[in-house]
Amino acid sequence: MNNFQRHRRLRTSAQMRRLIRETTVSINDFILPVFVQENLTGKEEITAMPGVYHYGLDEFRRLVVEIAEKNIPGIILFGLPAEKDEQSSSAYHPKGIVQEAIRAAKMEVPELLVMTDVCLCQYNPAGHCGFIRNGKIVNDESLQLIAQTALSHAEAGADVVAPSDMMDGRVQAIRSLLDENGFQDTAILSYAVKYASAFYGPFREAAHSAPSFGDRKTYQMDPANVREAMREAESDLREGADMLMVKPALSYLDVTAKLRSSTQVPIATYNVSAEYSMVKAAAHQGWIDERATVMEMFTSFKRAGADFILSYFALSAADWLKEE
């Protein structure tokens, strides 16, 4: 008599595998990042990210309807202004591109969950996430501008503001200003654990936000560090964050898993631009199956502990899941 276990008994058919599957991916897991560009008519494809576009408000309205029809829960907005200045004033202007896109989205699909990326990098010539003084990114002077940006998004109708700048104290600054102005119900999704990653490469083209000097390593995290990630997350929770994000997703599954084991709040992970573009490039060459690869990646994000996923594949995933 054989005394080994026959684990394959539970893999004998698709229905058996479906029955005992431990981790599932559904349409409810997705947020679609969207780039809206001021003074653009229609849409323009981003060269480094095939199938991803800069949207003018006219085409953005049509996209919002499509997103709702596919039953994707929400979007996160990134704005590309027509003009930049040292004060990043377009970031918090009441008629800035993100503010107008929020209003447009809520007009077309009121129930759509609208998140906004809160940062300054697209709005100043230096391309950095904070205020620049004497060639340095200064922390405390940046907080007022970042909080004002978040408030302007809330005033326009955003459901969730998501600070991505990695300045110390920005969650507290945002929460205080929102509450002071009657926006106690506006949630904060903090990019709590955002690494200084090489996987952001294509995003620089997408957001027109490449730094004009230096890099972002003095404020984004060292990819080698995990304990530091836990400290960042703990700080943001104390300051008032409602949800936390790990960015990037694919190379930081261990960080997501460790964060999941230490907190009960919802956790997001961002399937970033290079993770998207690498799959697209390999699939274009016929080297991989795009659908199978992407769904396996999504499963790994969920298995690591992510509650939801920001991904440029969200529209495609909606179609794939519907077919299943």
Side-chain angles (χ1 to χ4, degrees):
M1 177 179 176
N2 293 326
N3 60 6
F4 56 82
Q5 289 186 298
R6 294 192 179 273
H7 300 288
R8 291 179 57 189
R9 291 179 184 138
L10 302 183
R11 304 170 193 156
T12 53
S13 69
Q15 295 291 48
M16 178 67 82
R17 294 188 295 273
R18 178 183 169 197
L19 180 68
I20 66 165
R21 186 159 293 142
E22 299 172 22
T23 305
T24 59
V25 176
S26 83
I27 194 60
N28 298 326
D29 297 327
F30 297 112
I31 295 292
L32 177 68
V34 180
F35 300 97
V36 285
Q37 183 170 333
E38 196 168 15
N39 297 339
L40 175 65
T41 299
K43 64 181 182 180
E44 295 178 349
E45 190 171 38
I46 298 165
T47 305
M49 301 176 69
V52 179
Y53 298 86
H54 294 134
Y55 289 91
L57 287 177
D58 57 337
E59 192 65 29
F60 171 68
R61 290 177 180 272
R62 286 187 279 273
L63 174 67
V64 166
V65 173
E66 179 185 357
I67 290 167
E69 290 174 347
K70 291 180 182 292
N71 207 29
I72 295 170
I75 59 175
I76 185 166
L77 290 169
F78 296 84
L80 285 75
E83 297 181 358
K84 302 185 180 189
D85 60 59
E86 292 182 356
Q87 296 291 325
S88 301
S89 57
S90 293
Y92 44 87
H93 194 284
K95 293 194 176 182
I97 182 58
V98 167
Q99 292 80 353
E100 295 287 14
I102 296 166
R103 285 187 279 266
K106 287 298 186 179
M107 185 175 295
E108 294 294 333
V109 185
E111 66 274 15
L112 184 71
L113 186 67
V114 177
M115 301 182 175
T116 60
D117 178 79
V118 178
C119 198
L120 305 180
C121 62
Q122 298 104 288
Y123 302 94
N124 65 73
H128 276 289
C129 302
F131 184 71
I132 311 298
R133 184 177 296 283
N134 298 324
K136 293 185 177 181
I137 301 92
V138 292
N139 193 94
D140 294 11
E141 293 175 70
S142 302
L143 299 182
Q144 182 179 356
L145 300 183
I146 291 163
Q148 187 61 42
T149 300
L151 176 60
S152 72
H153 293 175
E155 290 173 335
D159 301 292
V160 180
V161 293
S164 63
D165 55 281
M166 290 298 286
M167 298 296 115
D168 293 328
R170 87 269 202 216
V171 173
Q172 178 177 290
I174 290 170
R175 186 74 272 161
S176 295
L177 192 60
L178 289 177
D179 291 354
E180 288 169 11
N181 286 272
F183 291 97
Q184 292 90 347
D185 292 335
T186 302
I188 297 176
L189 165 62
S190 174
Y191 287 67
V193 183
K194 183 179 180 181
Y195 286 91
S197 173
F199 286 91
Y200 303 149
F203 182 88
R204 305 295 180 235
E205 177 193 342
H208 296 174
S209 63
S212 63
F213 68 90
D215 53 39
R216 296 187 172 127
K217 293 180 180 179
T218 63
Y219 46 101
Q220 294 178 0
M221 284 185 53
D222 186 336
N225 294 354
V226 179
R227 295 192 301 272
E228 183 183 7
M230 300 304 106
R231 296 199 302 272
E232 286 277 3
E234 290 168 6
S235 293
D236 285 1
L237 287 174
R238 286 196 302 269
E239 291 176 21
D242 301 286
M243 300 178 284
L244 303 173
M245 187 193 300
V246 176
K247 180 181 180 182
L250 191 58
S251 290
Y252 298 88
L253 296 173
D254 61 320
V255 180
T256 298
K258 191 170 182 63
L259 187 59
R260 175 74 290 157
S261 68
S262 68
T263 183
Q264 298 300 310
V265 303
I267 295 173
T269 196
Y270 199 140
N271 181 207
V272 298
S273 58
E275 295 170 355
Y276 173 89
S277 297
M278 289 191 301
V279 171
K280 280 290 187 180
H284 179 73
Q285 293 293 330
W287 296 337
I288 62 172
D289 181 318
E290 178 178 331
R291 175 174 174 171
T293 301
V294 172
M295 294 307 296
E296 186 173 336
M297 287 167 56
F298 286 160
T299 301
S300 74
F301 303 155
K302 292 294 299 295
R303 193 181 65 242
D307 295 289
F308 60 99
I309 303 162
L310 285 68
S311 178
Y312 305 101
F313 285 112
L315 289 171
S316 296
D319 293 333
W320 298 334
L321 290 165
K322 186 176 181 180
E323 291 174 9
E324 290 179 2

